[in-house]
Amino acid sequence: MLSSVIQQTFAGSDGLSRADRFISRAVSKNECLAVMIVNVEDVERISATIGHAKTQDFLDEFHTELKFLLREKDAMERISDRKFAVILSGMNNQGLARIAAKRIERLASDVGDKGVFHQNLRANIGVAFYPVHAIQASELMRLAEIASLGSHAGSDAVSFFEEDFADHLLGEWGLEGRLDSALRAGDLKMHFQPKMCLATGSIVGAEALMRWHDPELGPIPPDVFIKLAESTGKIAALTQFAIQNVCMQMNEWKQRMPDIGVAVNITPTTIINGEIVEVLRTATSIWGLQADQITLEVTENALMEYPEESHGVLVELREMGARVSIDDFGTGYSSLAYLKDIPADELKVDRSFVSGMLEDRDDLKIVEHTIQLARSFGLQVVAEGVECGGTMDTLRKLGCDYAQGYHIARPMPGQELEGFIRGFDKDNKRQ
Ligand code: C2E
Ligand code: CA
Ligand code: CA
């Protein structure tokens, strides 16, 4: 029974359409797959030793080398700066998958050994199998993610998904209790990822993203702990923490960066219980902010799940001046009729389409049509997951308003954002 709780708790990460397509192809060929989540460990320590920029170079180098290591029939998706999803085909037993995972583990240590980095590096790898453990990409990644938390805590860098282990995670290690302590002890932090206006080339805002570094387990991915909080009734406390923290930070920026807007993510239950309106009203009034500087990002799926309840709350939020953005757009099944009625200001094209749009014609078409669709409904468009300059140029030509992604910057602590924006605008602002 506990495993079904975990199934909800760790519900899948977003934007997996390419991985899903890949899995559909495997199904048609009756192939077995291994899905791996690869986490580079100790990024904070490395960053403290060799600096943030070099650490990011290292992670990019690892990403490039990992691509070379894979065969044509494999696939890979970069999930965050330090986390990669790898799908290997033809893996019909644990032995084969272990050999492949060990190669990836060695790759991290080889890249770390290079003269420029010279770091003792480790990657931990969680593995789940198709069709044994699950048949959908998002579910397989979720299970591989759970397994990867096991490899972090144990001595072996490679761990395979096991139901018992998943039970362990919630039970013995008490992730739920740890989340409570993290809230109290201040182990939760907000990071900010800059958002650039494509027409002017300047940074106009940022998305706030929560980070949790457990003293023993290391960094816990937001996809995991947000779902845990959602299913254990702690999401209201987390959202309150996020909003208060963001408003406090914006108050600090008020004098020197008065026009910066910040987006905060909210989950379905936070919207439908309606408390968000009061939380936001109180926080903006305490810190003397205008509500229109805050955008609330709600996923397309959340809106589809509770159309009536969310509609009312979104209207209230907009009446008090806040902006509303539809996140992960393209991964759900919105109809045109629904878009016509939705009280929103902005639409975010999901990164699963954006990050590969230069290589995949279907993704490019989806991005192009989404931009046109948004325009025709008077919504602004943000492309997330922009990982290279070519993608940014294409988005500009397609008439996209804003871009966000590793090519511009990764999420960073609030204290670093001001310096980053100053440097970035000096170098990039278009006349
Ligand atoms: P999201 O809202 O779609 O956030 C964007 C995610 O994409 C972030 O992952 C960000 O670090 C990552 N990202 C940004 N640029 C790139 C890129 O160029 N390439 C790639 N591969 N990834 C990029 P992160 O921080 O791991 O967050 C994952 C999800 O967890 C978020 O997805 C959001 O749904 C949830 N989340 C994070 N913080 C919060 C929070 O404070 N509250 C709530 N309710 N959810 C949160
Ligand atoms: Ca978001
Ligand atoms: Ca998103």
Side-chain angles (χ1 to χ4, degrees), residues 207 265 297 327:
E207 175 177 4
N265 291 284
E297 295 193 5
D327 204 356

Side-chain angles (χ1 to χ4, degrees), residues 168-180 212 217 228:
H168 220 56
L169 191 60
L170 271 189
E172 201 168 297
W173 291 359
L175 209 57
E176 193 185 335
R178 280 173 193 267
L179 186 55
D180 283 334
W212 174 17
L217 299 176
L228 174 68

Side-chain angles (χ1 to χ4, degrees), residues 24 51 95 103 109 161 194 259 331 394:
S24 309
R103 262 192 212 140
S109 105
F161 176 73
D259 299 327
T331 57
T394 308

Side-chain angles (χ1 to χ4, degrees), residues 14-15 207 209 265 297 299 326-329 348-351 384-385 404:
D14 63 337
E207 175 177 4
L209 294 156
N265 291 284
E297 295 193 5
T299 63
I326 309 175
D327 204 356
D328 301 346
F329 190 80
K348 288 186 93 167
V349 192
D350 191 68
R351 68 170 191 262
E384 58 178 21
Q404 196 186 321

Side-chain angles (χ1 to χ4, degrees), residues 300-316:
E300 182 191 12
N301 286 326
L303 297 176
M304 298 305 292
E305 211 174 329
Y306 308 101
E308 278 158 32
E309 297 89 332
S310 52
H311 192 276
V313 177
L314 297 189
V315 167
E316 270 190 78

Side-chain angles (χ1 to χ4, degrees), residues 379-398:
L379 299 170
Q380 296 194 306
V381 200
V382 184
E384 58 178 21
V386 177
E387 293 183 355
C388 68
T391 303
M392 204 156 80
D393 294 339
T394 308
L395 286 165
R396 190 180 287 118
K397 284 186 201 127
L398 293 176

Side-chain angles (χ1 to χ4, degrees), residues 14 78-81 83 190 193 207-211 222-223 226 235 239 242 264-267 297 299 327-328 350-351 355 384-387 404-407 409 411:
D14 63 337
R78 189 170 186 168
I79 300 177
S80 73
D81 55 350
K83 184 160 75 177
M190 298 311 291
Q193 184 177 38
E207 175 177 4
L209 294 156
M210 202 177 286
R211 296 289 176 261
D223 289 329
I226 295 292
I235 193 65
T239 308
V264 182
N265 291 284
I266 51 174
T267 62
E297 295 193 5
T299 63
D327 204 356
D328 301 346
D350 191 68
R351 68 170 191 262
S355 58
E384 58 178 21
V386 177
E387 293 183 355
Q404 196 186 321
Y406 293 168
H407 179 67

Side-chain angles (χ1 to χ4, degrees), residues 138-179:
S138 57
E139 182 66 359
L140 284 158
M141 297 222 193
R142 187 174 69 81
L143 300 182
E145 182 103 71
I146 293 175
S148 81
L149 290 171
S151 63
H152 185 92
S155 55
D156 193 347
V158 183
S159 282
F160 294 92
F161 176 73
E162 286 167 29
E163 295 237 329
D164 283 357
F165 169 72
D167 288 354
H168 220 56
L169 191 60
L170 271 189
E172 201 168 297
W173 291 359
L175 209 57
E176 193 185 335
R178 280 173 193 267
L179 186 55

